[in-house]
Amino acid sequence: PTILSRCQIFDFKRVSVNDIACHLEFISKNEGIEAEKDGLYLIAQKADGAIRDALSLFDRLISFSDKNLSYKSVITHLNILDYDYYFKVTTLLLTNNIYMLLNIYNEILDNGFDGHHFINGLANHLRDLLVCKDESATQIFDKGDNLKSRYLDQSKECELDFLLEAL
């Protein structure tokens, strides 16, 4: 009891993607850096709840971008597969356009992305679409506003059975 009375207890939690993105936006405004919000959300997602990692990534990306941080530069420098691919693939699956789907998959492989990495990303995309089926569940959805609206739109096109079977 004597030792415990002199101890402090800290409950550390992961910082939300939205909070990290807002903090990075605050820093970029103070430093005179033009940064696209979608790019900041990607940095925040890659940081996985750690503000120090987000700041480190942000600093490295700014050194490459000459004080103008765009979404495209973030996905290029962090070697992230663009969300557009996942939206295209899902649309092609919904329309049963297998030949175009194979061409897109080949393009992804030609860009140097691993097939397993793509499949994991597609599973995450389908999971996010499943979350967006109920608009009240979008509170747990850590994406930017532009991306969130795209997910909501595509989730309306997808049947629940399709998403569950695809997952």
Side-chain angles (χ1 to χ4, degrees), residues 9-28:
I9 299 173
F10 296 99
D11 294 322
F12 292 106
K13 296 184 246 182
R14 297 170 62 174
V15 182
S16 75
V17 171
N18 191 37
D19 289 341
I20 292 174
C22 288
H23 185 67
L24 292 176
E25 186 177 21
F26 172 76
I27 291 171
S28 63

Side-chain angles (χ1 to χ4, degrees), residues 37-82:
K37 211 166 188 145
D38 291 339
L40 296 177
Y41 269 92
L42 271 179
I43 295 169
Q45 288 170 359
K46 276 297 191 186
D48 199 30
I51 196 80
R52 182 193 65 196
D53 293 346
L55 291 171
S56 175
L57 280 173
F58 180 72
D59 187 42
R60 268 190 272 150
L61 290 169
I62 291 301
S63 67
F64 292 124
S65 67
D66 196 32
K67 293 202 174 209
N68 187 3
L69 189 63
S70 68
Y71 173 79
K72 291 292 183 192
S73 69
V74 171
I75 63 171
T76 301
H77 291 308
L78 293 181
N79 199 30
I80 298 172
L81 188 59
D82 193 1

Side-chain angles (χ1 to χ4, degrees), residues 60-162:
R60 268 190 272 150
L61 290 169
I62 291 301
S63 67
F64 292 124
S65 67
D66 196 32
K67 293 202 174 209
N68 187 3
L69 189 63
S70 68
Y71 173 79
K72 291 292 183 192
S73 69
V74 171
I75 63 171
T76 301
H77 291 308
L78 293 181
N79 199 30
I80 298 172
L81 188 59
D82 193 1
Y83 286 110
D84 287 341
Y85 280 109
Y86 297 120
F87 284 106
K88 287 178 193 175
V89 166
T90 304
T91 300
L92 293 171
L93 287 171
L94 287 169
T95 59
N96 207 22
N97 191 340
I98 303 303
Y99 300 110
M100 191 65 181
L101 183 62
L102 291 173
N103 287 331
I104 293 259
Y105 182 67
N106 192 46
E107 181 181 330
I108 290 168
L109 294 177
D110 286 346
N111 288 335
F113 291 99
D114 181 44
H116 295 291
H117 177 75
F118 167 72
I119 294 297
N120 287 334
L122 183 60
N124 287 331
H125 178 77
L126 294 169
R127 177 239 176 231
D128 290 341
L129 287 172
L130 190 60
V131 167
C132 288
K133 289 297 282 179
D134 182 12
E135 289 192 33
S136 66
T138 57
Q139 296 171 350
I140 62 172
F141 192 66
D142 279 339
K143 305 274 192 261
D145 292 335
N146 295 338
L147 201 53
K148 190 181 289 188
S149 67
R150 287 183 70 188
Y151 271 100
L152 284 170
D153 291 342
Q154 192 170 55
S155 71
K156 291 174 185 168
E157 297 172 14
C158 299
E159 295 294 325
L160 187 62
D161 292 338
F162 164 78

